[in-house]
Amino acid sequence: MDVQQISEQEEEIVDVFDLLPDVLVLEIFNRVKDARSLSACTVLCKRFGDLVTQTHNVSLEITRRNTLPEDNSGDKSTGFFGKFILKPIHAFIHRLVSRKSKSCSGYCDDDNNDDDTFKLPNDLLRNFNEIKSLSVKLPGHEGDISLENGSGPLLKWKAEFGKELESCVILGATGFQKLKMAGKDENENGAVSNLNLNLTNKQLKKRVVWTISCLIASSARHHMLKRIVNSHRMIRDVKISDGSKQGTIEMNERQVVELRKETVVEMERTKVPAVMIKMWYMPELELPECGGVMKGATLAVIRPTSTVVDKEDDVSLAVGAFREKSMELAVRKLVEKKKSYTLEMNAF
């Protein structure tokens, strides 16, 4: 085979991907969604670089640069309160300190910035100019517990915002048991007792702490959304969740438009308005479909006091809050319980 034949064969080799029309390549990018993968495509060729900027559907997973140091020197707060209240608040304060230390110079993508917990979303989204649907996943906490994979506590929430909180649904439990082990009830202090169908003052206070914790977490994420929405004017719907599947914020097009009209206030979270809380409680909630029993099962539906809704609206909101089958079953059984508690909480 001479040099001329080799040259002719090389000319016949064509990159089939180059033959695809732009509209089809863009459809592929929209199905890929992952912001990091798409950003990597921008350096492959100019054509990909131009098309990536036009991607409408983007998902972004934010990873930690380093984990928070853990202090195990005699600390007894490793139970429910430590995992779901102290640890998230510790992480939140750590992020605030890291952000403030860079406020004078802006965000710097430098490997020496080891004190930063994670990259800010706007920095990772700079390659995209036409985002319409955005999904962000924040770092989670280790040891996630669910009905399927554990026997520890559970705290899950879903919130919806416009310019401020519109609703929040919380599902919590102090623990789980296998169905065959359920018979005797252990109260939250570990002592065996008869089933008490009413919340004690101590139990109620604990659930108020759960509620405040979830509302603070959701309002902090909403503040993050303000910056993203103002930087990307074509966003129509957005979702922020976390790796532990503990909390989710979702916003539709109406809510995004409403938020965009709101001026960004330089504070670390959105103010939570005065709210009305409707709460259902069962000391033991049997879930035969999942082979277990939820201990201290609690459901809370939260709305601003200025919102007037029908009783059935609270039920439909709660039932549709969680997509996992086990969570939906638990919610349905709790709302079937006629007795509920009603609480009011001031703005904070």
Side-chain angles (χ1 to χ4, degrees):
M1 183 178 293
D2 57 25
V3 177
Q4 184 177 357
Q5 287 178 321
I6 295 175
S7 178
E8 289 176 354
Q9 285 186 359
E10 289 178 347
E11 289 179 0
E12 291 176 0
I13 298 175
V14 178
D15 187 344
V16 179
F17 208 89
D18 285 340
L19 301 179
L20 297 178
D22 286 354
V23 64
L24 187 53
V25 176
L26 191 55
E27 177 63 23
I28 293 173
F29 286 165
N30 278 316
R31 290 173 183 261
V32 171
K33 294 184 180 180
D34 180 61
R36 297 180 188 276
S37 300
L38 292 172
S39 294
C41 290
T42 61
V43 301
L44 295 179
C45 64
K46 185 178 184 301
R47 182 191 183 204
F48 281 10
D50 292 338
L51 291 176
V52 163
T53 64
Q54 303 172 42
T55 307
H56 295 327
N57 303 325
V58 177
S59 65
L60 171 63
E61 182 172 355
I62 302 175
T63 56
R64 295 185 186 277
R65 289 188 170 185
N66 60 307
T67 57
L68 293 173
E70 295 187 8
D71 182 9
N72 297 321
S73 56
D75 186 3
K76 303 298 182 181
S77 61
T78 56
F80 190 98
F81 187 80
K83 176 183 176 183
F84 290 109
I85 309 300
L86 293 183
K87 191 171 182 179
I89 291 176
H90 181 198
F92 181 61
I93 293 174
H94 181 83
R95 292 199 295 272
L96 300 193
V97 173
S98 298
R99 290 177 190 172
K100 288 178 180 179
S101 67
K102 297 177 178 58
S103 60
C104 60
S105 57
Y107 182 80
C108 178
D109 190 9
D110 191 323
D111 292 337
N112 294 326
N113 293 330
D114 293 331
D115 63 332
D116 200 17
T117 311
F118 53 75
K119 285 187 176 181
L120 297 178
N122 280 336
D123 181 70
L124 291 168
L125 296 175
R126 65 181 182 273
N127 291 320
F128 305 92
N129 300 326
E130 300 184 18
I131 301 175
K132 293 183 179 180
S133 180
L134 175 65
S135 175
V136 178
K137 181 184 286 187
L138 300 177
H141 299 288
E142 295 181 2
D144 180 39
I145 300 295
S146 69
L147 291 177
E148 292 82 5
N149 63 13
S151 58
L154 169 77
L155 187 62
K156 294 180 71 71
W157 57 268
K158 178 185 175 183
E160 291 190 3
F161 281 78
K163 65 180 180 180
E164 63 178 19
L165 178 72
E166 293 187 358
S167 67
C168 182
V169 179
I170 300 172
L171 178 63
T174 56
F176 301 105
Q177 288 182 353
K178 294 294 184 182
L179 193 57
K180 62 182 180 180
M181 295 173 59
K184 293 182 178 181
D185 175 58
E186 285 193 11
N187 64 27
E188 292 170 19
N189 295 318
V192 178
S193 64
N194 294 323
L195 286 177
N196 186 354
L197 299 179
N198 298 315
L199 280 166
T200 65
N201 287 337
K202 185 175 182 179
Q203 291 170 336
L204 183 59
K205 288 178 181 178
K206 174 181 285 189
R207 282 149 181 83
V208 170
V209 172
W210 294 359
T211 301
I212 294 173
S213 170
C214 294
L215 290 175
I216 288 176
S218 65
S219 64
R221 295 183 189 186
H222 181 252
H223 179 72
M224 179 187 293
L225 276 181
K226 287 183 180 181
R227 300 181 181 182
I228 297 174
V229 167
N230 284 330
S231 299
H232 299 272
R233 310 297 294 183
M234 295 182 66
I235 287 181
R236 295 178 181 175
D237 63 85
V238 63
K239 172 183 176 180
I240 292 188
S241 58
D242 57 73
S244 301
K245 300 181 181 179
Q246 184 178 344
T248 302
I249 285 185
E250 291 186 358
M251 295 179 65
N252 57 33
E253 185 173 2
R254 172 193 64 80
Q255 294 165 331
V256 169
V257 171
E258 185 178 302
L259 176 62
R260 190 171 283 127
K261 294 178 181 177
E262 189 75 1
T263 303
V264 177
V265 180
E266 289 303 322
M267 53 188 298
E268 296 302 338
R269 66 174 181 85
T270 302
K271 183 178 180 180
V272 177
V275 295
M276 182 78 70
I277 306 168
K278 188 171 184 180
M279 186 180 294
W280 292 264
Y281 166 76
M282 291 184 69
E284 281 191 358
L285 178 59
E286 292 189 5
L287 298 169
E289 301 87 348
C290 306
V293 177
M294 291 180 71
K295 311 292 290 185
T298 307
L299 172 69
V301 175
I302 304 166
R303 295 183 188 268
T305 53
S306 58
T307 304
V308 180
V309 295
D310 186 79
K311 179 180 178 181
E312 292 303 316
D313 289 339
D314 283 339
V315 173
S316 60
L317 176 65
V319 170
F322 308 109
R323 293 184 175 88
E324 301 97 323
K325 184 179 179 181
S326 56
M327 300 293 105
E328 184 180 343
L329 286 171
V331 170
R332 287 185 181 277
K333 291 194 175 186
L334 281 164
V335 296
E336 287 173 1
K337 181 177 171 62
K338 292 184 178 180
K339 182 176 181 179
S340 61
Y341 297 83
T342 301
L343 302 87
E344 290 189 29
M345 187 177 295
N346 293 330
F348 61 92

